[in-house]
Amino acid sequence: MTHGQESGGILDAAREAAAKKIWVTLTGLPLTIKLDWPFHRSTSGADFWVLHGDIRLEGSEGLHAPVAVNLSQTVREVMPSLEPNDAEAPVINALRKEVDRRQIEFLKSGKLLPVPFSSRHYDFKRQQWVFGKATDEAMAEFVERKVYWVTKLGLSPGAGGGARLWIGDPAEAQYLQTTTGRLLEVAARLLAAQGLLRIDGEWAEATQGLMNQAERFESARRAAVEELEKKHAFERG
């Protein structure tokens, strides 16, 4: 196998893995994100790198947002590499943060939206990514929403089916600006103790008690979509 074939295989695996994951936002939206690796230099003459992708709003009737992630030179200099292993988590978290900020509109036929991936997402003094520090309550709500949506959308049987969800994912801890240890401790203290999750190490499974609260999670998704639609309708006048 040539180096090019090996690299292509890695990128294909990264695309497939990301497309199968549910990335929940702090506002309660379940997303799947397809990224068309690798990054490439801008052809416009500007000094940045571009990565195309598509964000799908799960639970909707085909709503999505095609995006072009524009990586600035300043942030490129602090990245170990532009390969998926190093770049996927901050890219996905930057996209989720733009959804949280209602900067991304989901449509059935969307226009390519440039999304800045710049120094506003990086603390140079502390040398770490910053996407907004979540409270313990926000972390617990995030975890239960993620477990619910992954189970609901069939990516995990859940609710006694024996499948487990990795909640110790460093990408999720990065998005919430916490540590995996803290995220797991909050999930155990605020969710498992209430009988909403079964936790084993860094893995969690939905209980029937969690799945019985479907309306709460569906309502949060509807409210977040309505806020997005109102914001973009206002901007269009």
Side-chain angles (χ1 to χ4, degrees), residues 17-93:
K20 287 182 178 178
K21 276 189 177 180
I22 295 292
W23 301 99
V24 175
T25 70
L26 280 170
T27 52
L29 295 176
L31 311 174
T32 50
I33 301 175
K34 178 184 175 185
L35 297 174
D36 294 328
W37 300 98
F39 270 99
H40 58 272
R41 290 296 295 263
S42 169
T43 57
S44 67
D47 195 14
F48 59 85
W49 283 256
V50 179
L51 178 67
H52 288 136
D54 194 85
I55 309 173
R56 292 200 164 271
L57 177 58
E58 297 299 328
S60 70
E61 296 182 359
L63 298 180
H64 71 117
V67 294
V69 180
N70 295 332
L71 171 66
S72 68
Q73 173 64 27
T74 306
V75 172
R76 170 66 186 92
E77 290 173 359
V78 304
M79 302 278 285
S81 79
L82 296 183
E83 297 300 315
N85 281 347
D86 294 314
E88 182 188 67
V91 165
I92 282 175
N93 289 334

Side-chain angles (χ1 to χ4, degrees), residues 3 8 13 40 71 74 77-78 84-85 92 100-101 132 136 160-161 164 173 175 198 202 212 236:
H3 175 72
H40 58 272
L71 171 66
T74 306
E77 290 173 359
V78 304
N85 281 347
I92 282 175
D100 285 334
R101 296 177 61 241
D136 286 1
R164 300 184 302 169
Y175 174 55
R198 284 183 287 273
E202 294 189 346
N212 286 343
R236 287 194 296 270

Side-chain angles (χ1 to χ4, degrees), residues 120-184:
R120 70 179 175 182
H121 296 305
Y122 194 79
D123 185 332
F124 288 90
K125 184 176 180 181
R126 295 182 176 84
Q127 296 187 334
Q128 65 182 26
W129 298 102
V130 288
F131 296 102
K133 189 165 182 61
T135 64
D136 286 1
E137 291 73 19
M139 282 191 264
E141 187 173 55
F142 171 86
V143 170
E144 64 178 353
R145 285 172 172 173
K146 172 153 187 169
V147 174
Y148 168 79
W149 281 109
V150 168
T151 305
K152 157 83 173 180
L153 295 170
L155 298 183
S156 161
R164 300 184 302 169
L165 172 70
W166 186 31
I167 58 172
D169 188 340
E172 305 293 30
Q174 182 187 88
Y175 174 55
L176 302 169
Q177 211 168 318
T178 188
T179 64
T180 54
R182 181 63 176 167
L183 186 58
L184 290 164

Side-chain angles (χ1 to χ4, degrees), residues 180-193:
T180 54
R182 181 63 176 167
L183 186 58
L184 290 164
E185 186 273 326
V186 167
R189 177 166 53 86
L190 298 183
L191 298 174

